[in-house]
Amino acid sequence: MFSTLLAAFWIMVPAYIPNPVAALCGGGTPIDFGKTYADGHRILGDGKTYRGLVSGVCAGIAVGALQIWLWGAFGWTFLPEQTAASVVILAFGALLGDMGKSFIKRRIGKNRGESWPIADQYDLVAGAFILMLVFDPAWLFTNITWQILVVILILTPILHRTVNIIGYHIRVKKEPW
Ligand code: CTP
Ligand code: MG
């Protein structure tokens, strides 16, 4: 059980890093350049910026590179193997999922920062796994077993909430979700 938890966490590290780093480093030009969609609402909103996207993805990749190095240097073969492709896909997919969620959020009329339970917690998992399914399905099916998936689905909202509450108290995030 503990080994499954550790494996699930190890797999998700490159996808977990981008969101908090984007919250920490984000700001400036919004990805949608302030443009509105046909429905009159913003395409993505001011909560999705280039600085957040680039810093978040780079941080996820950097930590993933560290994981690849640790795995090889210390022979940590009891943990799932991250690759250059898996790390890039997980990090980028996480924020792609986050943007996809914001796009739909704006379409259903929710304002930037408004809470949208379930979607707010699982957007990064959906984005990372859908992108993995497209670009590296072999890695996905080798590493994401049913047990691992169940643990990821339990672990993700717990970590998400914990990190966001901390982010709120240290004034990095405007809302505790
Ligand atoms: N952020 C960013 N760029 C991104 C993602 C996040 O700059 N691509 C920063 C923004 O400052 C954002 C904060 O991280 O406000 C928290 O992210 P999130 O909760 O995903 O955004 P919200 O502001 O809640 O916006 P939304 O309602 O669209 O989810
Ligand atoms: Mg939010």
Side-chain angles (χ1 to χ4, degrees):
M1 184 60 215
F2 179 70
S3 64
T4 313
L5 180 64
L6 200 63
F9 181 71
W10 184 259
I11 283 170
M12 292 306 286
V13 165
Y16 285 155
I17 300 290
N19 272 295
V21 170
L24 209 61
C25 306
T29 312
I31 292 168
D32 65 9
F33 291 110
K35 289 197 180 76
T36 53
Y37 197 67
D39 56 13
H41 293 288
R42 286 285 296 276
I43 298 174
L44 297 175
D46 285 332
K48 308 296 119 153
T49 67
Y50 284 99
R51 217 163 69 203
L53 178 65
V54 173
S55 61
V57 172
C58 287
I61 293 172
V63 177
L66 181 69
Q67 287 181 284
I68 295 173
W69 178 75
L70 288 169
W71 197 90
F74 297 101
W76 285 2
T77 47
F78 58 95
L79 288 168
E81 185 179 11
Q82 293 284 10
T83 64
S86 73
V87 160
V88 172
I89 292 166
L90 289 168
F92 187 59
L95 288 190
L96 214 56
D98 180 53
M99 283 188 278
K101 173 207 64 184
S102 290
F103 178 78
I104 302 170
K105 226 167 152 178
R106 298 299 91 83
R107 303 292 70 76
I108 61 174
K110 281 188 185 289
N111 290 321
R112 176 225 175 147
E114 221 177 292
S115 145
W116 189 20
I118 304 190
D120 277 334
Q121 287 83 47
Y122 289 118
D123 55 359
L124 70 115
V125 179
F129 289 0
I130 290 170
L131 207 64
M132 194 66 79
L133 185 65
V134 173
F135 290 105
D136 198 348
W139 190 93
L140 187 75
F141 294 118
T142 303
N143 294 291
I144 311 300
T145 61
W146 284 109
Q147 294 95 302
I148 293 278
L149 182 63
V150 168
V151 174
I152 289 172
L153 294 182
I154 297 168
L155 180 66
T156 303
I158 297 172
L159 286 180
H160 190 270
R161 187 89 183 120
T162 308
V163 170
N164 283 344
I165 288 172
I166 295 169
Y168 176 73
H169 284 294
I170 63 171
R171 291 156 203 261
V172 166
K173 274 205 91 193
K174 289 195 187 72
E175 308 88 11
W177 50 72

